Amino acid sequence: MAESDPIVGIIMGSQSDWATMKHTTLTLEKLGIAYEAKIISAHRTPDRLTKYAESARDRGLQVLIAGAGMAAALPGAAAALTPLPVLGVPMDGKVMGGLDALLAMAQMPGGIPVGTLAVGKAGAVNAAVLAASIIALSNEDVAASLDKFRADQTAGVAEEPKD
Ligand code: RP5
């Protein structure tokens, strides 16, 4: 998204995470929130992670969303390097269906939180919506977008199932 400066930073450990994390970008676009998306691995590109997380707040980012699978250290390592809120999305389609990544993200030591979402697509979507909720506290435009998103979602639920 290039029209305005990004306020959400999306990072993921591997290209293989993109199929899931693209749902975060699609949801942020529905919400009208400017973002950037990068491949950054806590294990394979630690210097890239350090530079990114340490500069994130000064560059104007307000929330980081980190998707990772397997050992899933990325959100926790990012949270150690920035005071920004970090939301973690455990990848599905990996070992143990993503349960290993979910537990790794959730089990952060006290003092360095990661807001861990559901495994897979639902978590990727909800990370965007939760980022919007955080930003909406101090941004009227995002608050209005979030209200509309939620109202549209409610209106889109049929009262009865159909074939
Ligand atoms: C994590 O392990 C990444 O987030 C990704 O989910 C996984 C590695 O995947 P590959 O790059 O091996 O496909 O670091």
Side-chain angles (χ1 to χ4, degrees):
M1 185 172 281
E3 308 89 63
S4 52
D5 292 336
I7 56 175
V8 172
I10 301 167
I11 56 177
M12 63 206 81
S14 170
Q15 173 66 42
S16 66
D17 300 332
W18 174 240
T20 298
M21 294 309 294
K22 73 180 179 186
H23 295 289
T24 301
T25 68
L26 294 172
T27 305
L28 288 172
E29 286 170 17
K30 285 182 190 165
L31 288 158
I33 296 175
Y35 64 85
E36 63 183 18
K38 311 280 185 189
I39 298 172
I40 296 176
S41 167
H43 300 116
R44 293 170 176 156
T45 66
D47 291 345
R48 197 185 298 179
L49 171 61
T50 300
K51 288 191 183 91
Y52 187 86
E54 288 186 342
S55 66
R57 184 169 64 173
D58 289 345
R59 292 196 303 110
L61 298 178
Q62 298 180 21
V63 179
L64 297 188
I65 298 173
M70 303 181 74
L74 183 62
L81 293 164
T82 177
L84 293 176
V86 177
L87 307 180
V89 183
M91 292 302 100
D92 52 3
K94 308 265 182 190
V95 177
M96 298 173 68
L99 180 61
D100 52 346
L102 173 65
L103 294 175
M105 284 187 194
Q107 294 284 20
M108 288 296 293
I112 304 292
V114 168
T116 302
L117 283 304
V119 174
K121 179 182 174 183
V125 170
N126 280 347
V129 178
L130 189 54
S133 297
I134 294 167
I135 294 165
L137 293 171
S138 59
N139 183 320
E140 290 180 3
D141 290 341
V142 172
S145 291
L146 181 59
D147 287 348
K148 182 177 185 312
F149 176 92
R150 291 172 61 100
D152 289 349
Q153 181 170 250
T154 298
V157 179
E159 292 198 24
E160 296 176 5
K162 59 187 177 187
D163 290 332

